[in-house]
Amino acid sequence: MRKSLVAGLACLSLAVTAAAPYAALAKPIEISPTENGQSSLRPLTSDVAVIAHRGASAYGPEHTLVAYKQAMTMQADYVEFDLQMTKDGQLIAMHDETLARTTNAKELYPDRAPWRVKDFTLDEIKRLDAGSWFNKAYPDKAKQAYIGQQVPTLEEAIEFVKQHGNGKVGLYMETKAPNVYPGMEEKVIDVLKKTNVLDSEMLFLESFSEDSLRKLKTLAPDVKLIQLYTGAMLAGKDVHQEMKRISEYAAGVGPSKELVVPKLMEAAHQNQLLIHPWTVNAQDDMVSLLSLGVDGAFTNNTDLLVDLVEKPFISHGVASGDVTDSSAILWARTNAATNVQFEISTDSTFKKETIVKTSPADVAHDFTVNVKIDGLKPDTTYYYRAHSVSSKYSVNGSFKTAPEENSLKPLTMVWGGDTGGQGEIPPFKSYKSMAALNPDFFLFSGDTIYADNATPAVPNPPSGTVQDFWAKYKENRTDAGLRSLLQKTGTFAIWDDHEVTNDFSGPSQPLTPTGLSAFKDYWPISGERSEADKLYHKYSWGNTMDMMILNNRGYRSPNTQADGADKTMLGDEQLHWLKQQLLESDSKVKLIATSVPISIPTGKAMARDGWANGDNVNPNDPTGYENEFKEISDFIIEKGIKNVFFVTTDVHFAEVIKYDANHDGKADYNELISGPIGAVKINPGTLDPTFGPDKLYAEGNFFNYGVFRVDPATQQATVEIQDENGKTHFSHTFELE
Ligand code: G3P
Ligand code: CA
């Protein structure tokens, strides 16, 4: 939120008259730890600077006093000047090295091509019209006042901001093409001294040229310098080393906006470097960068960024989840306390039959909201949008309700998991590829965060406070791909171990309650599931599929306990519930969404974390949960339950397995495994033979996700494993019985 310089304001007027240093009296920029833990994905100070790029250049001719005035009226924190130097050594505010694009030089001086600034004196430049081009280029924004606007000198620009900024507007200037203008740095410092702003706290000097910045450093050691970056300048560099290196002379970095990802945020903030990306004009991009914790941004649209930094807004996207044939959970997060309004309709313009629901976003849930929408029609696409009541910025989403009961409609779902740990930090490409499939829903099969791994959100793991856990979810939501997938379709999120800590057993892990509450805060989870922390529940897609979502962590015995009748993964109640659901289900396919695998030994020796004890590794390993799984396996066989598919991730490679647990030559159930989306990539190994696995496919060492299609008309179910670019690596069709 913006810096209040009321005190400074009073002093400033004094300063101007008494020629006292510009803002020496103003409040210094404080580096303050915010309330939310150790995340480096937050601004270094509580201020996010709105930097008017070339003035309010989306609304008026760049680098004219009128565009600077517009920026200040819109409450910019800084006005940015690009600097060029005239033939007679005067500094002017202009972006290009030539006068051609933003003045009428071609008309006034037709024989002076290519109209380089350095070939013209200030007097000649002062005769130019630096505004009419804007009226021609943007007729819908044209104004009489722009005609005849002059090219300002740096001194005029500075005095103009001092005069109209009320002490609240700072200066941000770039030495453009310093190699073209030898001695430019000295001139800049001279003008800053002459205009009494050299000691101002609200002064930044920026350049793409490191040499120019290092020169400015020697000339004015206390001035805050910003090293600008294009993609090419950062390509191939280790950002941590690079940020450490430039922190010798720079107070911050100005990267092109697409370069801003959690890794860069961490590298810069760990070196106390501010991050000011350029040029950010769309509110979606602004929100994306603010969610990453930038310290400010260059924008042509001053007002749009001010609107966001001044009022609570939807900061980390929206999502829908636990969708049935008549209801859905809608989720959103804001960046401060406010009320969130949702509009839901079958009309994507929200003009007719729109349901409106409002819910408070408060700090107790890290400003996340979950609202249930009932009374929806089956098999229908619904559109929704959310905005904080104090902000114009809204985010849209859509989801499809399940077909009515007993109907047989085709289904396409995607599933994946394991995101944001073990050295892998967002963004992850798989999300966009999944969204492109327009799936009916997304099953997020656990390890939706790695709370116990080092990432920019929690550089010193494990996560210990709820703030750490929240920071992890926010980190993953900085990923535009994930946000777009969650906006595009309904999500069923289940947790696995890294939502709390590696291989944890709920009842015996002190962090379980904290991890669980953060998990429920950050996913659109229905009351049926969150009540009593069950998390397990059945969802149907008409009669095409029943999906039994399991909770493999909440009720489990410690991994180290020897397997036997008294060891459980699901707990008696859930185990009974699962059997009941399988028995009662008359759907074509029964999908069991589990967060751990059946026959791939996971965890470690003597503390197996999946169902298998790992006979293929050490037949004497007494752990694992095979005793309980055998009960499920036998039940499926004895009751003749057909078309059962266990779907999971967790192992960080993809595999598709048929099981003939009673060795009668016929498959009894199947297991579909994908992943990771964004975590360490592993290669597949051998399988524990206990339940008669028959490996149809196994591939590792690549990011991937799964696609599962059920077509009741052809009585077929098809599984595909696709890599992060959407390329199919494996496809298999099961004939449904
Ligand atoms: O100064 C930040 C940004 O403006 C750099 O790009 O070309 O607009 O000056 P440019
Ligand atoms: Ca610039």
Side-chain angles (χ1 to χ4, degrees):
M1 301 293 174
R2 307 161 62 71
K3 165 190 301 296
S4 64
L5 277 181
V6 178
L9 175 63
C11 307
L12 176 64
S13 50
L14 268 175
V16 171
T17 48
Y22 170 52
L25 301 165
K27 252 188 322 131
I29 286 194
E30 79 262 7
I31 303 284
S32 63
T34 61
E35 77 288 343
N36 58 9
Q38 52 179 296
S39 178
S40 50
L41 303 183
R42 68 198 153 112
L44 285 180
T45 75
S46 54
D47 300 332
V48 172
V50 176
I51 307 158
H53 184 241
R54 311 177 194 177
S57 52
Y59 308 106
E62 61 182 67
H63 294 315
T64 58
L65 298 185
V66 69
Y68 295 159
K69 184 78 172 46
Q70 287 166 315
M72 291 186 274
T73 307
M74 291 173 179
Q75 305 203 344
D77 293 306
Y78 292 86
V79 175
E80 188 226 9
F81 312 144
D82 295 307
L83 303 177
Q84 308 287 340
M85 200 150 74
T86 66
K87 188 174 181 178
D88 48 349
Q90 301 299 312
L91 290 170
I92 61 168
M94 179 165 285
H95 178 269
D96 302 1
E97 284 173 47
T98 77
L99 300 159
R101 178 175 65 87
T102 57
T103 73
N104 60 341
K106 289 182 182 176
E107 291 80 36
L108 206 57
Y109 307 111
D111 55 351
R112 303 269 298 270
W115 301 283
R116 278 193 290 265
V117 173
K118 70 185 186 73
D119 300 335
F120 289 78
T121 62
L122 180 60
D123 284 355
E124 290 172 324
I125 290 174
K126 277 295 180 185
R127 287 191 224 119
L128 293 168
D129 173 343
S132 296
W133 72 273
F134 183 89
N135 289 351
K136 289 198 202 86
Y138 308 104
D140 57 330
K141 296 176 185 162
K143 286 203 172 84
Q144 194 62 24
Y146 297 158
I147 298 170
Q149 283 286 314
Q150 284 196 327
V151 173
T153 63
L154 173 58
E155 194 170 333
E156 286 164 347
I158 292 173
E159 292 302 348
F160 187 77
V161 171
K162 283 166 71 177
Q163 191 185 347
H164 297 277
N166 302 327
K168 285 194 171 168
V169 181
L171 305 166
Y172 211 119
M173 55 197 81
E174 179 182 349
T175 54
K176 270 262 176 246
N179 49 345
V180 175
Y181 309 112
M184 174 180 211
E185 292 78 9
E186 288 79 359
K187 291 244 187 253
V188 170
I189 299 303
D190 290 349
V191 172
L192 295 177
K193 281 186 184 142
K194 186 167 173 234
T195 53
N196 244 327
V197 296
L198 186 59
D199 306 332
S200 155
E201 279 295 336
M202 293 187 72
L203 171 65
F204 287 98
L205 302 181
E206 51 167 335
S207 187
F208 287 99
S209 160
E210 177 171 337
D211 294 347
S212 179
L213 292 171
R214 285 185 180 275
K215 204 166 173 196
L216 288 165
K217 188 74 180 174
T218 51
L219 295 167
D222 300 332
V223 171
K224 291 188 289 298
L225 304 176
I226 299 291
Q227 174 65 59
L228 300 175
Y229 283 95
T230 60
M233 292 169 67
L234 212 47
K237 288 198 174 125
D238 172 298
V239 281
H240 283 84
Q241 282 167 12
E242 177 68 3
M243 294 301 116
K244 185 153 185 38
R245 191 181 68 77
I246 65 151
S247 64
E248 283 162 27
Y249 60 90
V253 290
S256 181
K257 65 177 187 290
E258 74 286 351
L259 299 173
V260 183
V261 291
K263 199 168 184 177
L264 178 67
M265 294 297 303
E266 181 183 50
H269 279 174
Q270 280 185 346
N271 288 284
Q272 289 304 320
L273 291 168
L274 299 165
I275 298 191
H276 294 161
W278 54 274
T279 306
V280 193
N281 300 330
Q283 277 201 319
D284 279 345
D285 292 342
M286 293 172 182
V287 168
S288 191
L289 290 161
L290 291 169
S291 75
L292 278 158
V294 297
D295 303 283
F298 294 86
T299 179
N300 296 351
N301 301 78
T302 306
D303 56 339
L304 297 183
L305 186 53
V306 168
D307 177 56
L308 292 173
V309 295
E310 291 245 326
K311 292 171 250 163
F313 60 91
I314 304 286
S315 59
H316 289 74
V318 296
S320 62
D322 290 7
V323 179
T324 70
D325 58 359
S326 64
S327 68
I329 304 296
L330 297 185
W331 178 96
R333 189 213 180 239
T334 63
N335 63 327
T338 181
N339 281 318
V340 174
Q341 184 183 76
F342 291 92
E343 296 157 278
I344 305 99
S345 174
T346 54
D347 164 16
S348 61
T349 64
F350 304 96
K351 290 207 175 59
K352 51 186 193 330
E353 290 173 25
T354 298
I355 304 166
V356 178
K357 277 230 169 169
T358 302
S359 176
D362 59 41
V363 69
H365 298 285
D366 202 27
F367 312 117
T368 59
V369 292
N370 262 304
V371 293
K372 181 160 191 190
I373 314 296
D374 280 315
L376 303 176
K377 291 193 288 270
D379 201 17
T380 304
T381 297
Y382 280 87
Y383 303 91
Y384 65 96
R385 63 185 177 192
H387 70 110
S388 117
V389 289
S390 55
S391 161
K392 293 198 272 322
Y393 178 68
S394 76
V395 183
N396 288 41
S398 63
F399 62 88
K400 188 175 174 190
T401 49
E404 58 271 280
E405 213 169 333
N406 305 328
S407 68
L408 284 170
K409 295 283 175 61
L411 162 72
T412 297
M413 59 169 276
V414 292
W415 92 92
D418 314 302
T419 56
Q422 301 157 341
E424 300 295 341
I425 44 183
F428 303 126
K429 292 166 76 175
S430 293
Y431 296 125
K432 282 215 171 84
S433 301
M434 283 194 266
L437 295 168
N438 293 320
D440 293 312
F441 66 74
F442 166 42
L443 170 63
F444 207 154
S445 303
D447 294 349
T448 61
I449 60 166
Y450 280 70
D452 52 342
N453 275 213
T455 60
V458 177
N460 307 305
S463 297
T465 64
V466 70
Q467 281 84 1
D468 286 341
F469 287 91
W470 284 338
K472 281 281 183 175
Y473 287 105
K474 283 186 287 231
E475 178 174 56
N476 279 357
R477 295 294 166 90
T478 65
D479 190 331
L482 173 59
R483 290 203 306 273
S484 69
L485 177 61
L486 298 180
Q487 282 169 251
K488 189 108 182 238
T489 191
T491 295
F492 294 97
I494 69 175
W495 72 343
D496 188 26
D497 53 336
H498 292 289
E499 274 81 1
V500 176
T501 190
N502 188 45
D503 294 355
F504 87 100
S505 296
S508 52
Q509 171 46 247
L511 281 172
T512 299
T514 310
L516 179 56
S517 72
F519 175 75
K520 292 195 295 182
D521 285 335
Y522 268 85
W523 289 107
I525 295 199
S526 64
E528 296 89 9
R529 286 182 61 197
S530 60
E531 202 181 286
D533 300 335
K534 276 180 19 165
L535 296 187
Y536 62 84
H537 195 71
K538 181 192 81 177
Y539 290 90
S540 300
W541 194 259
N543 243 15
T544 299
M545 184 172 84
D546 281 341
M547 176 167 70
M548 276 61 81
I549 291 183
L550 298 184
N551 176 352
N552 300 82
R553 295 286 159 186
Y555 306 92
R556 75 160 56 198
S557 313
N559 286 8
T560 51
Q561 179 180 333
D563 197 5
D566 59 355
K567 186 174 185 182
T568 180
M569 183 183 290
L570 302 180
D572 294 346
E573 192 190 314
Q574 183 180 191
L575 178 61
H576 176 72
W577 165 85
L578 175 61
K579 289 176 172 179
Q580 203 56 34
Q581 299 306 323
L582 286 168
L583 195 58
E584 288 167 4
S585 173
D586 57 1
S587 70
K588 201 69 208 160
V589 164
K590 294 82 181 172
L591 187 145
I592 298 172
T594 164
S595 67
V596 295
I598 299 168
S599 62
I600 295 164
T602 58
K604 48 186 184 295
M606 303 307 165
R608 289 298 175 198
D609 188 67
W611 301 96
N613 76 316
D615 288 326
N616 53 321
V617 181
N618 166 9
N620 304 320
D621 190 321
T623 63
Y625 299 80
E626 290 183 354
N627 185 71
E628 183 171 76
F629 190 81
K630 185 169 185 331
E631 195 175 329
I632 298 167
S633 175
D634 292 350
F635 185 82
I636 292 169
I637 295 168
E638 279 153 24
K639 302 298 179 189
I641 300 165
K642 300 302 177 202
N643 311 326
V644 176
F645 293 83
F646 290 83
V647 171
T648 192
T649 54
D650 187 37
V651 296
H652 301 224
F653 50 79
E655 195 147 342
V656 174
I657 306 166
K658 279 185 179 180
Y659 288 85
D660 176 10
N662 60 358
H663 308 289
D664 64 353
K666 280 193 336 62
D668 303 310
Y669 43 82
N670 309 288
E671 186 178 26
L672 314 177
I673 304 172
S674 75
I677 289 175
V680 67
K681 294 173 271 186
I682 299 176
N683 281 313
T686 58
L687 301 175
D688 180 311
T690 305
F691 297 104
D694 170 13
K695 189 188 291 189
L696 299 181
Y697 159 77
E699 182 182 359
N701 209 20
F702 74 127
F703 294 130
N704 67 82
Y705 55 88
V707 186
F708 190 52
R709 296 186 176 87
V710 183
D711 184 356
T714 60
Q715 302 276 319
Q716 295 178 321
T718 301
V719 60
E720 278 184 48
I721 299 296
Q722 297 184 349
D723 66 24
E724 62 180 353
N725 304 310
K727 181 166 166 284
T728 298
H729 283 229
F730 173 77
S731 175
H732 179 81
T733 296
F734 297 87
E735 299 304 327
L736 300 174
E737 299 178 57

